[in-house]
Amino acid sequence: MTASPVGGPLIAAVQGVLWSVPRAGGTATALTSADLEPARVAWSPDGSRIAVCAYQGGGFHVWTMAADGSGLRQLTSGPWDDRGVSWSPDGSRIAFSSERGGDPVAGSSYGIWTVDVRSGELAQLTDDADAEDYDPVWHPDGTRLVFVRAGAKGGRALASVPAGGGEVSVERTVDAGTLVGPAVATDGRVAYVHVGDFAAPFNAASSVLMVDGEAVTDGEDVSPFPPCWAPDGELFYVADGQVRVRHPGTAQSAPEHVPFTASLSLSRPEYRHKRYDFDSSADREVRGIHLPVLSPDGKSVAFAALNALWVMPIGGRPRKLVQAHASAYVQMPSWAPDGESVLFSCEGDADGSSLISVHRHWLGSDRADVLATGGRLHPVISPDGSRLACHDSTGNLLIRDLATGSEETLVAPLGANGLPGPPSWSPDGKYIAFCDRNRLNSRFREGYNVIRVVDTGTGQWTAHLPAPHASLSDRGHGGPVWSPDGSAMAFIMESALWVMPVHPDGTPAGDPSRLTDEAADHPSWSGDSGSLLYESSGRLRLIERDGTGRRTIPVPLQYRRCLPSRSDVTRVHVGRLWDGTGETVREDVDIVVRGNRISAVEPHRARAAAGEKLIDASGSTVIPGLWDSHMHPWQYTYGGRQNSLMLAYGITSSVSLGGFAHETVRIRESVAAGSMTGPRLFATGELIDGSRVAYSMGRAHRTRDGVRRSLERAVDLDYDFVKTYVRAPTWIMREAVRTAHEELGVLSGSHFLSPGAAVGQDLTSHLQATERAEYGHSLSPTGHAYQDVHEMYAGGDFKIVVTPFIALALLMADPSPAKDPRVTTLMPPWDTAFVQGIAATPPSDAATRALQQDAAVFRKIVADGGTVALGTDAPLTPTGLQLHLGLRVLHHSVGLSAAQALRTATSVPAELFGVGDDLGTLEPGKLADLVAIDGNPFQDFDDLIRTSWVMRDGVVHRQDDLVDAFATKSAEQRTADHTDWLTVSRELRREPCCSRHSFDV
């Protein structure tokens, strides 16, 4: 918000739109569209123009426009972000903070810059690699600028620099919290906002307006945006969701309120929704071909599908090498250099009951060896066959001597948010290349997927981009893959296959060449370096190194949905039944299941009919199968545990809101075929992102062709949801919406309330999470939401999947869930340590306050008729357990009835994701998805966690069996294991999408 220096209107940013507001209040007028995405604004000294920092097009830059919104002009451009604006007193220059002048591989901190308004000439004023300088403002005399300087502990200093550059002077410091948005009055007084520390996972305790080190507000929730001085000494700011004015230094103590109304018209999309066939058991073509890799002789392909490892001669039929146990997960095949064996990762020994290990299958004898244990991933043998390169569960690159068994850590990953890509050896074995993610600065976590090359003898490394600011697509199996002759690397960029010449040490030797214009993934070379195999939307292709001769490699592999016969009848005698349709709990009821569907719900019959199978749940409460409406398939570190955990906690349907596309389709098919234990999966692919990414499964895009390829692949792989991520600009968001609605008939969403609603998205995947701007549009730093947010969700047309991370704090008051065998045995040891660490933490006032703040927002959304589904963002949170903790928040803290809370994880998500006719309630004709609970959650809601068994599609999965699949080996391992699993947990949860709400124990 900013006030005209000549007595004109105020300019306020509300939900991603700039509004002109009369100084005395009244009706606001919209000046900009949602596509501009303004973040900071400033008036020119004569009041004729406005400078704005905006994200239009996919990067933050400096723009100007007339006071009425016309004449929009872009002043800065390029791949670096330019944030925060302040107009010089003489009107000739605009100051801003920028990453300019840095290196796209090594990164760049923010410095203070100016741009000449007429010529566009740029000047850098500060350049300190150990600091982040931002939020500049001109001193009224024009001789210097004041700004925030952030060090290792954040923005705790106000500093100044001469207008022409020079020595930086520290003006003021604080010992805690963060300083935001300094503003200098005509008499030299400096106002700013002091936001209290975020003691994760809790909100800031306060956000206070300060003038020269003295608080001028008390108890107000001040927004973290720069205040604005008027020439007469009035100080404008935003607090408690209102524009307010104070007169610091005068006797007037109460703030003045500037009331205004703003009307934002949003049309909600209408489209034909996807139809699902849950009953057919006809043969289907396998599309989930996962991680195909070409043999050294170029004659065979190894791949994973249907939870099995396969080898297929080109032109022949696949041969199954390994069928994983339904509770395990086979993945990551690679060929030994001589082609006589295939390596892969899978849980433990033959029974798949321990952590993921590296296995070697000899093709001639079908003998299997275990090469490395303890969570070892991405196995690749060196060209001479003597060493194994792999990653551990946190992404450290390891080298193992196969003769001695000795192992060393070569390098740690550069960034967090998922594993680096798999290693690829140079032909002489001196180097290993893999995809890693840098972080451009400490203010924002995003960076580029870079090619990282490590000297295996010294551990020294270099990193490269194929072109300046050109990220590899993701950190799945998209390369780099070194050609066997050492002359080139293949990789996926802009969702296409590229080849780049390299020197023997892996440094680029020329520009990359694009070989495909279709979506591509998973490249691998033939042994003669003459051709490449890649996957395109579930189809295997071979192509010559020069891009010619593309041909399809058929994979004659089919599966059938594993369903009980329609002649199979099961009668479940239920002591208490909540069918999901209302508040009523019925007693002594039979649910009759024929095949995979409910045929009747009727009063209990003393004797089962002939041929019926009887399940006695007379001492239990039965409810519809639970949904987790926001999770991520993370099998590459969790293996089969993730699916088993969901079932063990009563989850029969899960919605992926981001995962590797081919893997997600593979899991969806494997579960449907019965070769993998787990809930029904509604799938999406990678997070569709802009030019910068954070998560390993974020898909980077700079070009429209790249977005086109990714969305064509979404259609081919039949996504159930299309999600855009933090750096995707509105043009990408709109294309994602169009594809989701018009071609797939499914929902689309993102983190963003704005501009998400404006571009036609259907929902937000959190209340608030990582944003591209400094702060989001949904919550204040202290955890409050205001009228604009609540009106966007009111009525339920624009929907929300809530993920109450703070629910983990409930373990502080009731640590009993941490003793459950699902935690102690079924969870991987890092999650066991995480949960038990939280449970051992004493309750705190901060935890109580944060719970109350989240509850107040959710309560208002529900009261206004909002559509609320419950998710977890697992495995960022503990899989399965987090859903129950979230339900407890909705019941105990928000005040929903037991039935209302349960509907957020049953009927609401079923309707939301378009399957309400089949799922969400227990009624005749619906799919037989139900949960049996040893207790009565309608008397004691906390009984809900005592799920003894679930039925999905008419098939029963008992908690004891799911846990026992991991019990023996886990007990042995954990007794002898001296790994600091809590440290492993911290590494896996570094830089999360919701860092304000992440627990650190």
Side-chain angles (χ1 to χ4, degrees), residues 65 82 138 171 275 388 431 441-442 459 481 488 529 746 874 888 893 973 976 984 986 999:
M65 62 183 185
D82 304 323
W138 290 86
E171 305 287 339
R275 297 179 65 86
L388 172 72
Y431 300 96
N441 53 72
S442 62
V481 185
S529 302
V746 301
R888 290 183 181 186
S893 302
Q973 285 179 331
V984 172
R986 292 190 187 106
F999 278 78

Side-chain angles (χ1 to χ4, degrees), residues 327-332 346-347 352 354-356 375 377 393 419 631-646 663 676 826-832 834-835 873-880 966 984-985 988-989:
S327 63
Y329 189 71
V330 62
Q331 57 180 326
M332 302 174 176
C346 191
E347 286 88 335
S354 62
L355 290 177
I356 296 171
L377 313 160
S393 298
L419 294 176
M631 52 75 66
H632 299 279
W634 219 251
Q635 272 75 7
Y636 73 170
T637 52
Y638 280 73
R641 294 175 189 266
Q642 187 175 17
N643 274 8
S644 293
L645 276 162
M646 284 189 279
E663 178 172 42
M676 189 175 180
L826 187 49
M827 282 186 184
W830 55 83
D831 279 355
T832 302
F834 178 60
V835 171
D873 210 4
L876 182 59
T877 60
T879 298
F966 293 85
V984 172
S985 172
L988 290 171
R989 291 181 165 89

Side-chain angles (χ1 to χ4, degrees), residues 423-754:
S424 180
W425 291 88
S426 65
D428 58 11
K430 291 183 179 180
Y431 300 96
I432 289 175
F434 62 99
C435 182
D436 208 345
R437 195 263 295 167
N438 68 1
R439 180 169 177 164
L440 290 174
N441 53 72
S442 62
R443 289 192 71 195
F444 302 92
R445 65 176 178 159
E446 289 81 16
Y448 299 121
N449 291 323
V450 300
I451 297 172
R452 193 175 177 193
V453 183
V454 185
D455 186 312
T456 61
T458 67
Q460 298 297 307
W461 58 272
T462 57
H464 315 282
L465 287 170
H469 300 275
S471 176
L472 271 63
S473 282
D474 58 47
R475 300 195 296 284
H477 285 61
V481 185
W482 220 312
S483 64
D485 66 7
S487 65
M489 290 182 187
F491 49 83
I492 306 301
M493 182 172 68
E494 295 299 315
S495 290
L497 174 63
W498 300 69
V499 169
M500 180 176 70
V502 295
H503 295 293
D505 63 356
T507 55
D511 295 332
S513 299
R514 179 172 55 80
L515 271 60
T516 71
D517 191 38
E518 65 178 354
D521 290 282
H522 310 150
S524 59
W525 291 92
S526 61
D528 63 3
S529 302
S531 59
L532 291 122
L533 177 81
Y534 68 96
E535 183 167 13
S536 180
S537 302
R539 297 175 291 269
L540 300 188
R541 312 279 207 204
L542 268 178
I543 194 169
E544 297 303 309
R545 179 173 175 160
D546 62 2
T548 63
R550 188 190 74 178
R551 62 190 177 103
T552 299
I553 307 300
V555 182
L557 192 61
Q558 296 180 318
Y559 76 99
R560 292 181 179 181
R561 188 184 300 275
C562 182
L563 298 174
S565 168
R566 290 288 296 165
S567 63
D568 293 346
V569 180
T570 301
R571 181 174 293 271
V572 185
H573 178 200
V574 176
R576 293 167 298 277
L577 171 67
W578 178 70
D579 64 12
T581 63
E583 298 284 324
T584 302
V585 177
R586 300 160 61 184
E587 296 187 351
D588 203 26
V589 174
D590 284 354
I591 302 174
V592 182
V593 177
R594 183 177 294 275
N596 65 325
R597 289 191 180 265
I598 298 169
S599 61
V601 180
E602 58 192 29
H604 173 56
R605 178 187 299 176
R607 291 185 179 180
E612 290 182 342
K613 177 183 177 181
L614 180 64
I615 297 177
D616 184 7
S618 59
S620 302
T621 302
V622 170
I623 65 173
L626 298 174
W627 286 63
D628 185 342
S629 295
H630 182 159
M631 52 75 66
H632 299 279
W634 219 251
Q635 272 75 7
Y636 73 170
T637 52
Y638 280 73
R641 294 175 189 266
Q642 187 175 17
N643 274 8
S644 293
L645 276 162
M646 284 189 279
L647 283 182
Y649 280 101
I651 298 167
T652 59
S653 293
S654 60
V655 182
S656 166
L657 293 192
F660 294 110
H662 295 281
E663 178 172 42
T664 305
V665 173
R666 168 205 165 166
I667 295 169
R668 182 172 65 184
E669 292 178 347
S670 298
V671 170
S675 59
M676 189 175 180
T677 299
R680 177 183 300 100
L681 178 63
F682 294 87
T684 190
E686 293 84 3
L687 309 168
I688 297 174
D689 220 333
S691 60
R692 302 182 187 184
V693 294
Y695 278 100
S696 56
M697 77 296 193
R699 195 82 163 179
H701 301 91
R702 292 182 302 136
T703 68
R704 292 187 179 273
D705 280 340
V707 173
R708 169 183 56 80
R709 295 182 194 108
S710 290
L711 292 176
E712 288 173 349
R713 185 181 65 155
V715 174
D716 287 342
L717 295 179
D718 196 23
Y719 285 14
D720 300 305
F721 186 86
V722 180
K723 183 176 180 180
T724 60
Y725 209 55
V726 173
R727 296 285 302 195
T730 54
W731 71 264
I732 292 181
M733 297 172 74
R734 291 183 192 277
E735 281 300 300
V737 167
R738 184 197 61 77
T739 299
H741 293 170
E742 297 179 13
E743 299 192 51
L744 286 163
V746 301
L747 303 171
S748 179
S750 66
H751 283 186
F752 300 145
L753 179 58
S754 293

Side-chain angles (χ1 to χ4, degrees), residues 858-944:
F858 298 153
R859 188 180 304 119
K860 175 65 172 169
I861 292 174
V862 172
D864 289 344
T867 300
V868 177
L870 180 62
T872 66
D873 210 4
L876 182 59
T877 60
T879 298
L881 172 61
Q882 182 71 15
L883 189 77
H884 287 268
L885 298 176
L887 285 165
R888 290 183 181 186
V889 166
L890 295 178
H891 179 59
H892 296 311
S893 302
V894 177
L896 302 186
S897 70
Q900 287 176 315
L902 285 170
R903 275 196 285 274
T904 68
T906 53
S907 59
V908 170
E911 293 289 344
L912 177 60
F913 291 99
V915 291
D917 290 342
D918 295 288
L919 289 162
T921 61
L922 299 179
E923 301 175 273
K926 295 287 188 79
L927 291 171
D929 275 28
L930 49 91
V931 184
I933 301 158
D934 288 340
N936 186 352
F938 295 88
Q939 289 183 352
D940 181 352
F941 192 75
D942 291 357
D943 278 355
L944 182 67

Side-chain angles (χ1 to χ4, degrees), residues 124-138:
Q124 185 173 9
L125 305 188
T126 71
D127 181 17
D128 187 335
D130 296 324
E132 303 280 355
D133 297 338
Y134 54 91
D135 284 0
V137 62
W138 290 86

